[in-house]
Amino acid sequence: MKLGITMNTGRGVLAWDQTENAFYCTYHLPNSPVMVGVPHSKGCQSCVRRRIKCDERRPLCKRCETRGLQCPGYEKPTRFCHFSITQGDRQNALQSRPRKILRNDNVEGRSASNKDVAPSFDECVVPTLVQRSMCIQQKEVFGDFVDVNFPGLYYSWSSRMEVNFMEFMRQQSDTPTNALVWAASTLCTVNRGQRDQDRQQVDLGRAMYIRGIRTLIQLIQNPRTVKSDQTLGAAVLLGICEMIDGSFEQSWLAHSSGIAALFQHRGPEAHRDGVGRTLLISFRAFIVADSLLRGEPCFLAEPAWRAVIIQSMKQENERGKGSELGDLVEFAFHEITLCPGLVARVRDILAGKTIDPIQKKLLVGAVTTQISNLSKLHNRLSILFSQGIALESRPDLVGPIPRPVIHMLTKFSLQGINMAIDLLNRLLRSLSVHQTGSILDGNYYKQNFNQTCLASDRIIGEKLMEGPDELALSMGMLVLKQ
């Protein structure tokens, strides 16, 4: 072995073998003194390099002067060092035999096969360096995706949360096996492919989506991970991926029902604050939209879940993060969660499943109350919205909500409230017509009510493709026909 260039790696010596055109790395045992490229001779650097005896004349060597060379002097560029390695490295330390880590086959004109390709020098020192770097980079790419696709939803709540979604992402381990990081990579790849009209990129994202679903299934089947924040977060991101690139028409509904089941399995207390509340805010509007389309009550209308919304608002105000605008939006969502259940009850009456006059009367009262509550919130929010630019300079009204999203949040919240009120008024008219006996046909809901109150599948799909952020800010009500 003929060694040329040497380098101290902190755990051993990396040396270039001039004979075999390869790098070698020698690992040293703990607490052993190491001499790195330090010649034994006290001669000048030129004589040491030429391996001849130096006369050691100061300040310049006579041998160099005789040969007409400029003497480089006697100062040595390297020095002795003493170091120890950790217990974890102790198992990997080699006794004395050098380990070949990289061959330079190109020097001899040979082509290396894939199996001959060895890790880079950085990977030898930190084996997971490349993977960790890619995971860290992917988290920041996900931040760009959020800025472009969900600015209203994210920034309307991010400064008010104890842990916002990006902070939650950055807390994840930098490994490609992390389901949440993998789901984020899937979502960003699909979105980037659609944006650039790159079919290959989209196909790659879809392949990643399949792997993400398989990983999610494993997490759900494991009792130790089924209720974890990472599992729910991965499900949420994969659900959004299904919205922007559905495997079939309205496929996101199948996924959203699974996400709703995960929320219910975790229970309302898990979403009162912290990451749990962040995850609930990120997907709750889609849960309401899903319930409206299915014509089923929304679990968020249950007393325990409604109480979580009120208690979270109180905690937000106690931390100094509350505002009148934020409270009005939360109160509006608190009322809108009841709409899917009211739709389901009216549907049952129109279909002839409920014939009790008392139940009809109670239902009319419930719908009327909801219209009244939402109308009051609409009036108060309209007053804020009418102030326009002046609203941005009122911290007592907007709190920590960033200025760029104040108008967007107010606008689509008002639109969502308007559409909820319109839906409830249609329910009242339908109940009134049914009560007079003018329409007794059990197919009324199928032929009339569903067409006038709820959007068709095609319209829903277009809404989600055009603006999932707007759908979220409208509290899920943009699924209704306008």
Side-chain angles (χ1 to χ4, degrees):
M1 179 184 299
K2 184 179 179 182
L3 300 181
I5 304 172
T6 60
M7 182 184 302
N8 182 11
T9 67
R11 297 182 182 181
V13 177
L14 182 71
W16 173 258
D17 182 2
Q18 297 177 351
T19 303
E20 297 190 17
N21 295 317
F23 274 108
Y24 287 86
C25 186
T26 303
Y27 290 91
H28 300 280
L29 296 177
N31 302 320
S32 60
V34 181
M35 184 172 67
V36 183
V38 181
H40 296 285
S41 174
K42 296 181 181 180
C44 72
Q45 295 301 304
S46 177
C47 291
V48 170
R49 186 168 55 252
R50 294 167 55 209
R51 298 188 179 184
I52 61 176
K53 182 173 178 58
C54 179
D55 61 11
E56 300 181 13
R57 191 182 73 170
R58 306 285 176 165
L60 301 177
C61 167
K62 186 175 180 180
R63 284 187 176 274
C64 292
E65 183 180 351
T66 301
R67 292 177 59 85
L69 301 175
Q70 183 177 0
C71 181
Y74 297 87
E75 183 178 356
K76 297 178 176 58
T78 55
R79 60 185 178 84
F80 287 96
C81 62
H82 190 89
F83 68 93
S84 301
I85 62 176
T86 63
Q87 183 64 28
D89 296 326
R90 193 184 303 273
Q91 300 175 356
N92 298 326
L94 302 179
Q95 297 295 333
S96 59
R97 182 168 172 264
R99 181 167 66 91
K100 186 181 296 186
I101 62 172
L102 179 65
R103 281 197 71 83
N104 186 10
D105 289 327
N106 292 331
V107 174
E108 300 179 6
R110 296 190 301 268
S111 59
S113 62
N114 292 335
K115 64 180 181 180
D116 294 329
V117 178
S120 66
F121 173 67
D122 289 338
E123 290 177 296
C124 291
V125 178
V126 184
T128 61
L129 179 62
V130 174
Q131 292 181 353
R132 290 172 57 187
S133 299
M134 292 182 66
C135 288
I136 293 173
Q137 183 182 30
Q138 187 57 60
K139 294 175 185 178
E140 301 310 314
V141 172
F142 175 73
D144 295 337
F145 167 82
V146 172
D147 285 343
V148 173
N149 295 276
F150 290 93
L153 176 61
Y154 177 75
Y155 289 105
S156 293
W157 276 272
S158 61
S159 57
R160 299 150 55 188
M161 296 290 186
E162 293 177 296
V163 181
N164 62 49
F165 210 106
M166 278 307 301
E167 292 171 343
F168 176 49
M169 284 294 300
R170 294 188 177 105
Q171 292 172 2
Q172 302 305 305
S173 58
D174 298 326
T175 59
T177 56
N178 188 304
L180 185 59
V181 176
W182 187 260
S185 301
T186 301
L187 184 59
C188 293
T189 302
V190 170
N191 180 255
R192 186 165 54 248
Q194 290 183 340
R195 181 195 62 195
D196 299 338
Q197 297 183 349
D198 186 340
R199 182 68 182 180
Q200 186 176 4
Q201 188 94 340
V202 173
D203 291 341
L204 174 61
R206 290 172 177 172
M208 295 170 66
Y209 173 81
I210 295 175
R211 175 177 169 180
I213 288 294
R214 290 173 179 171
T215 303
L216 180 60
I217 292 174
Q218 294 175 355
L219 293 175
I220 293 174
Q221 292 176 342
N222 188 341
R224 293 180 299 178
T225 58
V226 63
K227 293 185 178 182
S228 70
D229 293 334
Q230 289 76 15
T231 299
L232 181 57
V236 166
L237 294 186
L238 291 174
I240 295 175
C241 184
E242 194 69 53
M243 292 178 191
I244 66 175
D245 185 52
S247 33
F248 56 89
E249 188 175 4
Q250 297 305 306
S251 59
W252 73 277
L253 292 175
H255 201 106
S256 63
S257 62
I259 296 174
L262 282 177
F263 275 110
Q264 295 178 77
H265 188 57
R266 286 162 55 99
E269 291 300 319
H271 303 91
R272 189 183 303 277
D273 49 26
V275 176
R277 174 161 170 76
T278 299
L279 294 173
L280 178 61
I281 294 293
S282 66
F283 205 77
R284 63 181 186 178
F286 303 113
I287 293 176
V288 172
D290 175 88
S291 299
L292 282 171
L293 291 177
R294 295 179 186 277
E296 300 173 352
C298 180
F299 73 88
L300 294 175
E302 298 173 3
W305 287 94
R306 284 166 61 83
V308 164
I309 298 177
I310 302 300
Q311 293 169 4
S312 297
M313 279 194 298
K314 292 181 179 179
Q315 294 175 1
E316 191 174 291
N317 286 307
E318 290 173 357
R319 297 197 311 268
K321 301 291 186 178
S323 64
E324 183 175 353
L325 174 59
D327 288 348
L328 287 175
V329 173
E330 289 298 290
F331 278 124
F333 183 83
H334 182 263
E335 300 298 329
I336 283 176
T337 57
L338 297 172
C339 289
L342 294 174
V343 170
R345 291 169 63 185
V346 172
R347 178 200 60 191
D348 290 343
I349 289 178
L350 298 180
K353 295 181 180 180
T354 303
I355 58 176
D356 187 353
I358 298 179
Q359 293 297 325
K360 294 180 183 179
K361 185 176 181 180
L362 292 175
L363 180 55
V364 170
V367 174
T368 304
T369 300
Q370 285 303 110
I371 293 176
S372 175
N373 293 340
L374 286 172
S375 296
K376 292 177 182 177
L377 292 171
H378 180 273
N379 292 336
R380 292 174 59 188
L381 198 57
S382 296
I383 295 174
L384 292 181
F385 186 68
S386 64
Q387 297 182 20
I389 299 178
L391 181 63
E392 301 177 4
S393 60
R394 294 286 303 276
D396 56 320
L397 298 180
V398 300
I401 301 175
R403 292 183 178 182
V405 299
I406 290 175
H407 180 81
M408 184 185 301
L409 174 62
T410 310
K411 173 185 176 181
F412 286 103
S413 296
L414 279 172
Q415 188 173 355
I417 296 173
N418 270 328
M419 300 183 77
I421 294 174
D422 182 63
L423 170 64
L424 295 172
N425 282 321
R426 294 184 186 184
L427 296 182
L428 280 182
R429 290 196 297 269
S430 298
L431 288 172
S432 176
V433 172
H434 184 271
Q435 190 172 3
T436 61
S438 300
I439 300 180
L440 299 177
D441 185 2
N443 294 324
Y444 172 78
Y445 171 75
K446 181 178 180 181
Q447 298 175 355
N448 189 309
F449 177 76
N450 192 40
Q451 296 177 5
T452 57
C453 291
L454 299 181
S456 65
D457 289 345
R458 181 179 179 183
I459 295 179
I460 300 301
E462 292 174 354
K463 286 294 180 185
L464 291 179
M465 290 296 292
E466 291 175 2
D469 192 33
E470 289 79 0
L471 175 61
L473 293 179
S474 72
M475 297 165 276
M477 300 306 296
L478 273 179
V479 296
L480 302 180
K481 276 188 175 180
Q482 300 186 30

